[in-house]
């Protein structure tokens, strides 16, 4: 049984934060992860791509990737980028 790791997203998910976000998520591949979006004030396209890729990676690996506490600013940013926030709130579960 693996312990779920938690990633608290930073306030700014802009292009500067993308490399760090990718690096942190890369170390978590294969583990069950909960991503907390409560502090996010803005999200850019690059970080959105990284989060979408994470959803796909975790799904292929059969691990759990769960998003919780999406801030209102994060929800608005996702909608502005054309992604339904519900996509991230649907629990990705192992088979």
């Amino acid at each position: 049984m693996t312990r779920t790791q938690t990633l608290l997203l930073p306030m700014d998910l802009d292009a500067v934060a993308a490399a760090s976000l990718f690096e942190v998520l890369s170390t978590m591949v294969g583990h069950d992860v909960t991503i907390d979006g409560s502090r996010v004030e803005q999200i850019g396209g690059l970080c959105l791509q990284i989060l979408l890729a994470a959803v796909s990676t975790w799904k292929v690996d059969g691990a759990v990737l769960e998003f919780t506490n999406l801030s209102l600013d994060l929800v608005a940013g996702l909608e502005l980028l054309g992604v339904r926030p519900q996509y991230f709130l649907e629990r990705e579960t192992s088979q």
Side-chain angles (χ1 to χ4, degrees), residues 2-9 21-37 50-51 54-55 57-59 61-68 88-94:
T2 61
R3 196 177 106 216
T4 301
Q5 298 178 351
T6 300
L7 171 62
L8 180 61
L9 294 174
L21 177 62
F22 178 78
E23 188 174 310
V24 169
L25 282 171
S26 294
T27 66
M28 298 175 143
V29 171
H31 299 278
D32 293 344
V33 175
T34 297
I35 296 179
D36 184 331
I50 292 168
L51 293 176
V55 170
T57 299
W58 262 255
K59 189 172 186 175
D61 286 350
V64 174
L65 180 64
E66 181 180 34
F67 290 80
T68 63
F88 288 105
L89 296 174
E90 295 169 349
R91 187 179 174 108
E92 299 291 329
T93 58
S94 58

Side-chain angles (χ1 to χ4, degrees), residues 10-15 39-44 47 71 73-74 77:
M11 290 175 23
D12 294 322
L13 287 174
D14 57 9
R39 293 189 324 168
V40 177
E41 293 181 355
Q42 70 171 9
I43 182 169
C47 285
S71 70
D73 289 332
L74 177 54

